[in-house]
Amino acid sequence: MKQSETELMLKGYGLTTAEFFYHMPDYIHVLNTFIWQEYDLAPDHPKLFDFIDFWQREIEGPLHSVRFTHRKMIAPGEWRNMVGEFRLN
């Protein structure tokens, strides 16, 4: 069963965004870009490196470079369990 984004964030995952620069297969001097986003664990980034391995194995366009950033969406002190809610009108 796939975990929800909230469950992943509570387990320490953060949003990783990567920009891939690659050469077009038929026009080797032309660079193109591809944007990839996935929830991943820093600092090892296993999902990012799995995707890079997939790219090199399955995609014809050779990679020129990869630029990425990682952001934890929920830090331990930013989330708390709420038992109830009071509304004031």
Side-chain angles (χ1 to χ4, degrees):
M1 179 168 66
K2 187 174 179 178
Q3 296 179 354
S4 72
E5 293 175 0
T6 305
E7 289 173 325
L8 289 173
M9 287 186 286
L10 290 173
K11 290 182 178 181
Y13 283 74
L15 187 63
T16 299
T17 304
E19 184 176 21
F20 292 81
F21 294 89
Y22 64 96
H23 294 280
M24 299 290 289
D26 296 334
Y27 304 97
I28 200 69
H29 298 293
V30 176
L31 278 178
N32 204 358
T33 61
F34 177 78
I35 303 295
W36 175 89
Q37 280 190 325
E38 187 68 49
Y39 285 95
D40 207 355
L41 284 171
D44 295 332
H45 301 286
K47 290 185 180 183
L48 174 61
F49 287 110
D50 286 346
F51 185 76
I52 291 172
D53 289 340
F54 167 79
W55 185 291
Q56 292 175 335
R57 193 177 58 251
E58 303 290 334
I59 307 294
E60 290 183 21
L63 285 175
H64 174 272
S65 58
V66 178
R67 185 170 60 173
F68 72 95
T69 185
H70 179 84
R71 169 89 167 111
K72 279 193 169 186
M73 305 303 275
I74 297 178
E78 296 177 2
W79 186 86
R80 60 187 172 145
N81 187 18
M82 299 296 288
V83 177
E85 180 180 336
F86 295 98
R87 290 186 176 203
L88 300 173
N89 293 329

